[in-house]
Amino acid sequence: MNLHVKTLSLMTWRSRFLEESFWSLEETAALAKQLPLKSPSENIFLHIVDLSDPKQIWKFVENFKQEHKLHVLINNAGCMVNKRELTEDGLEKNFAANTLGVYILTTGLIPVLEKEHDPRVITVSSGGMLVQKLNTNDLQSERTPFDGTMVYAQNKVSERQQVVLTERWAQGHPAIHFSSMHPGWADTPGVRQAMPGFHARFGDRLRSEAQGADTMLWLALSSAAAAQPSGRFFQDRKPVSTHLPLATASSSPAEEEKLIEILEQLAQTFK
């Protein structure tokens, strides 16, 4: 698949609280050079952004607005910290990176996207979302026993946090095509480091990184994807349900509105 673009901006995140990054900056830069762009003269910009640091995200957004155009934003950063820890700003680390950071980055770049033809936003979710209900009373895991795996699922749920955001953004910004997607369980450095037991048990059944990225790229580039209603959730290039059969994981409009209000208040606090 060729990327028909003149400029490619890679926004990779680097966080102070991870003991070991999944990718080094050198590895990321080398990967960028391997992308199947049609001409070697096309521009590639690498931006390092800590998505657990709201102030840094706002600063990045303001600088990006002045220097670049944007046609497609893919939210693919995620972390799973297995014990409750706080950032320097007092935010629970999973929430800061997986939800608030994505909220600030996306809402901050919406004005840039709306200036272009056929703009798109794709948010990469997780299979863990299917069994988790939105809990706006404890977004930062202050009141319930902490389980990193369950917190990661809560951060990535459909109609809970990221997928709720996708649906709300689709309603509020019809000029942009929003979608969320599950890549399937892929054999990535993140899975190997954050879920070693899972990887040891199911490693031979996991998808390759290319297979995991397929639907993501299809949503970013395909005219067939753009013809789908905005705000849908996809797996293997097909819209799918955001709930398991008989699961009681749906949320009310009031709960979803409360999520947006909380995120907006926090985002403005750090602006």
Side-chain angles (χ1 to χ4, degrees):
M1 182 183 295
N2 287 324
L3 304 183
H4 299 275
V5 297
K6 292 292 182 65
T7 302
L8 179 65
S9 291
L10 297 177
M11 290 172 280
T12 185
W13 77 293
R14 189 175 183 86
S15 181
R16 293 183 301 274
F17 62 77
L18 287 180
E19 295 180 0
E20 180 181 351
S21 297
F22 297 152
W23 296 97
S24 69
L25 301 188
E26 293 76 14
E27 288 172 322
T28 304
L31 180 63
K33 294 179 181 179
Q34 298 173 20
L35 289 169
L37 301 176
K38 297 187 68 179
S39 167
S41 64
E42 290 165 325
N43 299 316
I44 298 176
F45 298 94
L46 178 62
H47 309 276
I48 310 300
V49 186
D50 184 348
L51 282 185
S52 69
D53 185 338
K55 296 186 185 73
Q56 186 180 135
I57 302 170
W58 278 123
K59 182 178 179 180
F60 163 77
V61 165
E62 293 306 314
N63 291 337
F64 190 91
K65 286 180 180 179
Q66 303 302 318
E67 300 174 2
H68 299 283
K69 296 181 178 181
L70 184 63
H71 296 85
V72 179
L73 171 64
I74 300 177
N75 291 312
N76 190 37
C79 71
M80 186 170 72
V81 180
N82 290 314
K83 57 182 178 178
R84 191 175 189 277
E85 298 178 8
L86 303 181
T87 68
E88 293 179 1
D89 295 310
L91 300 168
E92 193 277 315
K93 291 175 178 178
N94 291 286
F95 170 79
N98 296 341
T99 301
L100 181 60
V102 170
Y103 177 83
I104 295 174
L105 181 66
T106 305
T107 55
L109 291 175
I110 281 175
V112 186
L113 287 156
E114 288 180 328
K115 295 178 181 180
E116 306 304 327
H117 173 68
D118 190 23
R120 309 185 193 189
V121 175
I122 299 97
T123 298
V124 181
S125 186
S126 165
M129 63 154 188
L130 295 172
V131 296
Q132 289 297 300
K133 181 178 175 62
L134 178 64
N135 181 7
T136 55
N137 293 318
D138 195 24
L139 291 176
Q140 300 195 54
S141 307
E142 297 173 281
R143 301 181 179 89
T144 55
F146 192 90
D147 181 320
T149 302
M150 297 301 285
V151 168
Y152 182 75
Q154 178 67 206
N155 287 159
K156 294 285 189 178
V157 292
S158 81
E159 297 183 354
R160 285 84 73 197
Q161 303 193 5
Q162 286 191 347
V163 176
V164 167
L165 294 178
T166 295
E167 294 172 345
R168 288 302 185 106
W169 286 327
Q171 295 170 14
H173 304 279
I176 302 173
H177 189 275
F178 290 89
S179 57
S180 55
M181 57 83 65
H182 175 39
W185 291 106
D187 190 358
T188 64
V191 170
R192 290 194 290 272
Q193 180 170 320
M195 304 174 68
F198 174 85
H199 185 270
R201 183 175 180 182
F202 298 105
D204 59 344
R205 305 180 196 175
L206 299 180
R207 297 182 176 192
S208 67
E209 293 172 352
Q211 289 171 327
D214 176 77
T215 296
M216 187 192 316
L217 292 175
W218 178 78
L219 288 167
L221 302 171
S222 168
S223 59
Q228 293 281 345
S230 184
R232 299 292 297 273
F233 179 75
F234 290 83
Q235 183 172 356
D236 296 332
R237 301 192 181 189
K238 297 178 181 179
V240 297
S241 173
T242 54
H243 302 283
L244 292 175
L246 304 180
T248 58
S250 61
S251 53
S252 69
E255 290 173 312
E256 296 175 5
E257 186 61 34
K258 183 177 179 181
L259 171 67
I260 301 297
E261 291 176 358
I262 292 172
L263 293 177
E264 182 61 22
Q265 290 173 2
L266 280 172
Q268 293 303 319
T269 298
F270 295 104
K271 191 170 184 180

